[in-house]
Amino acid sequence: MNVVLLGPPGAGKGTQAERLIEKYGLVQVATGDMFRAALSQRTPMGLEAKKYMDSGSLVPDEVVEGLVEERLAGDDVAGGFILDGFPRNAHQAEALDRILSESGRALDLVLNIVVDPEVLVKRLTGRRVCRDCGGNYHMVFGPPEVEGQCSCGGELYQRDDDNEETVRNRLEVYRDQTQPLIDFYRPSGKLVDIDGSRSPDEVFADVASAVDRAGSAGVA
Ligand code: AP5
Ligand code: MG
Ligand code: ZN
């Protein structure tokens, strides 16, 4: 099962990916997480990506596409992947088509998670992330049991791009460049709209039934 999670910043792509990994054993390929990991190791790519991430604009296509192509060649993704945060514009969507067709693969499902922009601003400015396991919390919608601490014991931090100004720019970039991908994927019949405004468990119930339906369609 090869899945794309499409949706604006804060829609809950990472939150739903975590649940998909647990239930279906899929491998998450999250470009934003890969850039943050590269940055924490101070690699040239991580330092380059930071310039774009801090303002909320997109890292250049050739950098992201090269990274994804390399990652999708890994043996561990042969059993299925969840792309979280890629593709983000038409050029990347075409690159993905090429990468998959060259390796005899295809997408099974594109989940379009829909949430109102003002809710997204609240979700992102209140988000806290675990430094150790990457777990996601929210100061109001899902606070940790111990303040500042993940259930794994790791320290919670706020992403540099989760301030209001950068969040608004990320939402604008989404509207201009990523939202048009809904029309790109709709005709394939593989796109399913998910109402992401409900609780994470309610959203996941719909996500899981879309995955199950796509899975049985593939077998038939
Ligand atoms: P990236 O890391 O992908 O960030 P993003 O797309 O802005 O999305 P987020 O991770 O912020 O949101 P999410 O949908 O995962 O939400 P989450 O589950 O965490 O990208 C960052 C940057 O990297 C980009 O700006 C760009 O510069 C660069 N980049 C990455 N990919 C790129 C690409 N392909 N091309 C070019 N550049 C690229 O949830 C958010 C919060 O809400 C959390 O606190 C969570 O607990 C809470 N929450 C989640 N679901 C619910 C719910 N149902 N109800 C209430 N609260 C909820
Ligand atoms: Mg995310
Ligand atoms: Zn943790």
Side-chain angles (χ1 to χ4, degrees):
M1 174 74 46
N2 298 326
V3 183
V4 165
L5 289 178
L6 204 61
K13 300 182 296 294
T15 303
Q16 296 302 320
E18 239 177 76
R19 289 169 160 76
L20 283 170
I21 294 165
E22 199 176 313
K23 178 155 183 174
Y24 297 97
L26 300 172
V27 174
Q28 180 186 18
V29 177
T31 42
D33 292 349
M34 290 161 86
F35 289 133
R36 281 183 290 278
L39 177 62
S40 73
Q41 287 158 17
R42 322 265 341 139
T43 70
M45 185 188 72
L47 294 167
E48 168 77 7
K50 181 177 164 54
K51 292 190 235 159
Y52 300 92
M53 295 172 85
D54 279 350
S55 67
S57 56
L58 297 183
V59 176
D61 290 338
E62 59 273 21
V63 177
V64 193
E65 289 165 10
L67 184 71
V68 169
E69 180 154 21
E70 202 176 299
R71 185 66 190 86
L72 291 184
D75 289 339
D76 60 326
V77 300
F81 57 76
I82 311 159
L83 275 172
D84 165 355
F86 184 94
R88 258 176 150 95
N89 61 25
H91 194 275
Q92 294 180 14
E94 276 154 24
L96 178 61
D97 274 355
R98 178 190 56 77
I99 293 166
L100 293 179
S101 69
E102 280 175 7
S103 52
R105 290 177 288 182
L107 291 177
D108 299 292
L109 181 63
V110 178
L111 291 167
N112 177 38
I113 309 180
V114 183
V115 181
D116 181 75
E118 281 313 308
V119 175
L120 297 173
V121 175
K122 291 202 184 88
R123 282 191 188 176
L124 291 172
T125 51
R127 170 169 54 189
R128 297 295 182 273
V129 186
C130 175
R131 255 187 225 291
D132 293 347
C133 73
N136 251 326
Y137 291 85
H138 191 282
M139 299 301 280
V140 180
F141 307 138
E145 272 179 31
V146 180
E147 205 191 314
Q149 201 183 82
C150 180
S151 59
C152 82
E155 181 205 355
L156 298 181
Y157 78 101
Q158 182 169 29
R159 269 168 51 174
D160 286 343
D161 60 348
D162 278 348
N163 62 78
E164 185 159 347
E165 193 192 338
T166 307
V167 164
R168 294 208 181 267
N169 193 33
R170 284 158 63 198
L171 292 173
E172 208 175 299
V173 168
Y174 169 79
R175 259 195 317 277
D176 293 347
Q177 302 194 45
T178 313
Q179 195 159 269
L181 294 184
I182 297 171
D183 294 330
F184 177 90
Y185 284 118
R186 182 87 64 195
S188 70
K190 290 175 181 164
L191 185 124
V192 176
D193 295 305
I194 302 283
D195 172 5
S197 64
R198 297 157 302 151
S199 74
D201 289 345
E202 288 170 306
V203 175
F204 188 64
D206 283 3
V207 165
S209 60
V211 170
D212 292 339
R213 273 197 312 275
S216 51
V219 171

